[in-house]
Structures are given as C-alpha cells and as structure tokens.
Amino acid sequence: MKNFIEKCNTDWHKRSLYIYAIIVLGHWLEHIFQVVQIHSFHMETHHANGFLGMYAPWLVKSEWLHTGYAWLMIIGLIILRKGFMGLSKSWWILSLTIQAWHVVEHSLLSFQAITGISFFGYDSPTSVLQLIIPRVELHLFYNSIVTVPMVIAMLTHMFPSKKVRANMKCTCAVKI
C-alpha cells in the first residue's frame, strides 16, 4: 500500500502539483497587489499590505504568516520532488535550494521578531539581503527566483523526453 508521499508523487502527482501551483499563484497575487498599492496607488510601504492585509493587517504584519508560507513552500517542494525525473528534477531541486535560503531569511526575521533583538543595527527585523534590497522588492525577487525554475520544472515534466516519459510513474505528461 502506498503512503501519502508516494501517492503525491505517483497517482496524485498531477493533482498535487495543481494544488501547489494554486497556492503559489495566490501568494504571487498578494505580492503583485502589494506592489500595485505602492507604485500605482502611491501607498506608503508600511500601509501596502496586499489584499489579505486590507482585511487582516495584523496577520500580514506578523512574521508568522511569511515564515509559515516559506516553510509551506519548502515542504511542498520536498514532498513533490520524487515525482520529477531527468531535467525537470534538476529544475525542481534548483527551486528547492533557493527556497531553502528563503526559509533561512524568514527564520532570521522570525527570530528577531520573537526575541525583540534586531540585527544589523536596524530598529526592526532585517534579513541579510534586505541590507541591499528593500523588503517588498526583495520578497518579490525571492519569489521570482524560486518560481521560475519551479515553472520550468513543471513544464519539462509535462513535456518530457521519450526516455523520461517511459519511466514516469505519474500522469502529468501531456499526451501528444
């Protein structure tokens, strides 16, 4: 009998990837909405909380939401990794590796928020790369460099070589 992770990478792989993609897309929409608030509506950054933040600003300002999402992303990347083969697996692992650094950054921010100790001489929690790139733009950058290889992985998984297609244990490959 297959366990949950095995099913997520075989019988349920296509469905699991769709669910994962919807979660990622929802997160992207939040970031895009936030950027629009800042650059089109000229909101101050600390007031531009995205769509969710319009209704629950306390949640969006919490490091828990951001760190939780970063962990959700990496857990999804880890769980769904075994369903990929060949070139698509390489792209998926690249996305996973970048997301691992993203988790480190969010964990650093959470630690600072929990302890009340801010690093790098700032008054509020600050991540390493935030020293060079403003926070909103940095997280848009992180999401981009995690999402691009993830999308390439999904596309190369859907349109595999004949050799990879013959060894796939899921139904993700598009029938040509």
Side-chain angles (χ1 to χ4, degrees):
M1 185 168 165
K2 293 180 183 176
N3 67 28
F4 176 77
I5 293 176
E6 285 177 284
K7 283 189 175 197
C8 283
N9 287 287
T10 55
D11 306 340
W12 303 341
H13 199 236
K14 186 184 238 180
R15 183 178 319 145
S16 299
L17 287 174
Y18 281 138
I19 291 167
Y20 191 70
I22 288 167
I23 292 167
V24 171
L25 180 61
H27 187 234
W28 259 104
L29 290 174
E30 274 296 313
H31 279 285
I32 290 168
F33 194 81
Q34 186 180 33
V35 168
V36 167
Q37 287 176 319
I38 293 167
H39 297 287
S40 295
F41 300 136
H42 308 290
M43 294 176 77
E44 293 181 31
T45 303
H46 64 280
H47 290 301
N49 296 322
F51 183 77
L52 182 60
M54 290 172 33
Y55 301 100
W58 58 271
L59 182 60
V60 173
K61 294 206 182 290
S62 159
E63 288 301 334
W64 289 108
L65 175 71
H66 304 287
T67 303
Y69 179 78
W71 278 101
L72 177 69
M73 283 288 297
I74 200 163
I75 289 167
L77 286 162
I78 290 168
I79 288 173
L80 297 171
R81 181 186 76 235
K82 290 184 181 182
F84 289 89
M85 302 174 71
L87 184 59
S88 67
K89 187 168 194 161
S90 299
W91 283 105
W92 195 261
I93 290 171
L94 176 60
S95 181
L96 171 62
T97 304
I98 297 166
Q99 183 61 21
W101 173 252
H102 194 184
V103 166
V104 168
E105 288 271 83
H106 275 293
S107 298
L108 180 65
L109 289 167
S110 289
F111 176 80
Q112 293 172 75
I114 291 166
T115 63
I117 301 168
S118 295
F119 297 163
F120 313 114
Y122 285 83
D123 294 334
S124 60
T126 306
S127 67
V128 175
L129 288 183
Q130 196 178 334
L131 297 172
I132 342 172
I133 305 170
R135 189 168 183 161
V136 172
E137 289 80 1
L138 175 62
H139 284 89
L140 201 54
F141 170 72
Y142 271 137
N143 286 301
S144 298
I145 64 170
V146 169
T147 304
V148 168
M150 182 189 317
V151 168
I152 294 170
M154 287 182 182
L155 289 171
T156 54
H157 185 63
M158 289 170 54
F159 300 97
S161 67
K162 287 181 183 178
K163 181 181 175 185
V164 170
R165 183 184 294 264
N167 293 309
M168 290 175 71
K169 294 178 172 68
C170 64
T171 59
C172 296
V174 173
K175 293 177 183 15
I176 300 174

